[in-house]
Amino acid sequence: MNRIQWILLLTLSICIGCKTNKPAQENAPTQAKQPNIVVIYTDDLGYGDIGANGATEIKTPNIDKLANGGLRFTNGYASSATCTPSRYALLTGEYPWKNKRARILPGTAPLIITTAQMTLPKMLKTKGYHTGIVGKWHLGLGTGNVDWNKTITPGPNEVGFDYSYIMAATQDRVPTVYIKNGDVVGLDPNDPIEINYKKNFEGQPTGKKNPELLDMKWHTGHNSSIINRIPRIGFMKGGETAKWSDVDMADHFLKGAQDYVKKHKDEPFFLYYAMQQPHVPRTPHPRFVGKSGMGPRGDVILEADWCIGEFIKTLEKEGLLENTLIVFSSDNGPVLNDGYYDDAVEKLGKHTPSGKLRGGKYSLFEAGTHVPFITSWKGKIQPGVSDAMVCQMDLLSSIANLVGSDIRTNDSEDLLGAFLGETKKGRDELVIEATSRTAFRKGDWAMIPPYKGPAKIKSVNIEIGNSKEYQLYNLKEDIGQQNNLATSNKEKLTEMIAGFEAIRGKKKGKIQKIELK
Ligand code: NG6
Ligand code: CA
């Protein structure tokens, strides 16, 4: 071997050495990180409450920016016109009327999702995701008779969430404390919490008996224990150091959501950011008070919009926007007076929370379930508007497709193409639910079967869809549901009833009584 040959051989062997000594992953093409999934969920925000859907009297620049940079759905639905069932459908991908317990729950209700059930976060965990919830839960906790002074289980952590920072039910229900991974935050063991939804604890003031202790006046219900000078649903004793501050709740959950993102930015994550606004009691932080000119309801919508802007800024700063699917929606339609005198009616002015839709929260008319719905993913979803009919219940199977999981649930349709704006085709039909009654939506049509009971809940001033007659509306021509075509278009009605009963069966279920005034 001459010198040149020897050098060549040496170089070659060094090169081969380099290659084989390198760790395998460095030689492989870099694997793209799975996209993060964020669901931003408001509570009782109406279709017409956001600028992007036509609101002119209230400004929601951050939500509008999300809509204008993403896909705004004109036919996006919650499964239901109240909170618990909608959240149940969102997380389990199952129609909530299949579960009798999926109805507005007291703060002491047991968990209504079984630990054996599939859920959106559980599905994502099979694909290596870290999963978190920050905000409102309202799906029950424990198995009955919860001891709030011990770790509360089962709860979100047992049905798919690695991390949970929640309020148990709603802002107007006790216990008024935050719960982190099953433990009440800031609890003093010498001042244990007791909760009862039937009976008061001796000597405790109530909204009913002690109006002098109130800053917010109750209208319907909401007259039991007083916390932060606001009367609530249910009785609570103890837990003084753990009680939340209502005016700081929005900032508190925002920080929780931001911290979660910062902590988990290096792994694929799913965050369910379940905001409390604009549900009652509406308690804007002082910096938003009076800013909308519409009273507390308008002010908390401005506050929610600001929180969403700040939250998205965090995703941007952390460099995550290009790899994060953001879904924005609301659990049910709007309501003005929902049990407190808070000027929501008096100061509404020309604003129309339900847009052109009829009804509102609790209603089988469109405004109950037809809600703001936006998907956004920088660089991946082309800005636009989609008329595809989509439901929050469809997110489970659709996101499963996105992350390469073959998990699908019975009622959750894989509409990934519609959510990403690749197709305008959504679902063909949907059974919607309101206080345990159901109705049917198919193509351009909506059909409401006959139900006994008042046409309107007087206390909230909302038409809820009850009628002795069948109702049939062509939403394409009559989005406001003013012309009942049930008698003039018998053929369509028959077709709609058949489609409805094929999914729903003939049973109607027991209607949940909500306090009527
Ligand atoms: C109703 C409450 C209402 C609200 C609702 C649940 C009364 C009179 N009304 O029963 O204020 O709490 O339940 O709202 O108590 S939801 O958005 O969580 O479904
Ligand atoms: Ca709600």
Side-chain angles (χ1 to χ4, degrees), residues 211-457:
E212 76 285 0
L213 299 179
L214 304 179
D215 284 344
M216 200 184 280
K217 206 175 147 196
W218 61 275
H219 172 267
T220 318
H222 302 101
N223 53 21
S224 302
S225 286
I226 303 171
I227 287 120
N228 304 337
R229 301 185 64 82
I230 301 170
R232 316 274 169 160
I233 303 176
F235 301 100
M236 172 170 177
K237 192 182 166 198
E240 209 47 51
T241 55
K243 286 177 182 169
W244 66 48
S245 157
D246 290 276
V247 294
D248 294 311
M249 184 178 280
D251 288 339
H252 195 71
F253 281 148
L254 168 63
K255 182 162 187 315
Q258 290 172 317
D259 287 349
Y260 179 85
V261 164
K262 287 181 205 158
K263 190 160 176 202
H264 297 286
K265 62 180 178 192
D266 294 327
E267 58 191 321
F269 65 82
F270 165 63
L271 174 63
Y272 174 33
Y273 177 18
M275 305 176 78
Q276 89 281 13
Q277 303 108 322
H279 193 282
V280 295
R282 296 157 182 144
T283 54
H285 186 273
R287 64 187 192 280
F288 293 99
V289 171
K291 291 291 174 338
S292 68
M294 266 179 219
R297 184 174 188 276
D299 296 345
V300 299
I301 292 177
L302 299 190
E303 182 187 65
D305 182 73
W306 177 84
C307 290
I308 290 165
E310 291 304 297
F311 176 72
I312 291 170
K313 263 188 221 161
T314 301
L315 291 175
E316 195 169 16
K317 261 194 217 141
E318 299 299 337
L320 299 170
L321 272 186
E322 280 88 355
N323 198 35
T324 302
L325 168 66
I326 304 171
V327 180
F328 170 80
S329 198
S330 173
D331 67 341
N332 53 254
V335 55
L336 295 174
N337 181 333
D338 202 16
Y340 295 97
Y341 288 97
D342 65 0
D343 279 346
V345 176
E346 293 76 3
K347 295 196 172 161
L348 184 67
K350 286 194 219 123
H351 179 53
T352 50
S354 48
K356 292 182 179 143
L357 311 177
R358 184 170 177 184
K361 182 174 178 176
Y362 311 112
S363 185
L364 281 177
F365 287 123
E366 282 296 287
T369 49
H370 193 152
V371 287
F373 207 127
I374 300 165
T375 57
S376 162
W377 183 345
K378 195 175 175 192
K380 172 98 175 175
I381 294 181
Q382 294 310 307
V385 178
S386 173
D387 296 334
M389 176 157 65
V390 295
C391 179
Q392 292 158 8
M393 190 168 66
D394 302 321
L395 288 168
L396 198 156
S397 293
S398 308
I399 293 174
N401 179 357
L402 174 69
V403 303
S405 158
D406 51 17
I407 293 172
R408 301 288 184 271
T409 58
N410 286 335
D411 305 320
S412 177
E413 288 189 21
D414 173 4
L415 303 178
L416 183 62
F419 286 125
L420 298 182
E422 289 159 359
T423 163
K424 296 258 156 156
K425 184 152 169 33
R427 31 166 78 231
D428 291 330
E429 50 190 21
L430 174 70
V431 172
I432 55 168
E433 186 265 351
T435 59
S436 309
R437 301 159 301 145
T438 42
F440 194 48
R441 179 79 172 72
K442 185 180 169 114
D444 293 334
W445 296 83
M447 185 280 291
I448 307 176
Y451 284 104
K452 286 191 194 132
K456 194 184 230 186
I457 305 180

Side-chain angles (χ1 to χ4, degrees), residues 43-44 82-84 104 136 138 170 172-173 220-222 233 279-280 331-332 338-339 361-362 514-515:
D43 192 359
D44 298 359
T82 61
C83 163
T84 300
I104 304 174
K136 175 176 176 174
H138 210 189
T170 58
D172 57 1
R173 281 168 175 75
T220 318
H222 302 101
I233 303 176
H279 193 282
V280 295
D331 67 341
N332 53 254
D338 202 16
K361 182 174 178 176
Y362 311 112
I514 41 177
E515 268 191 77

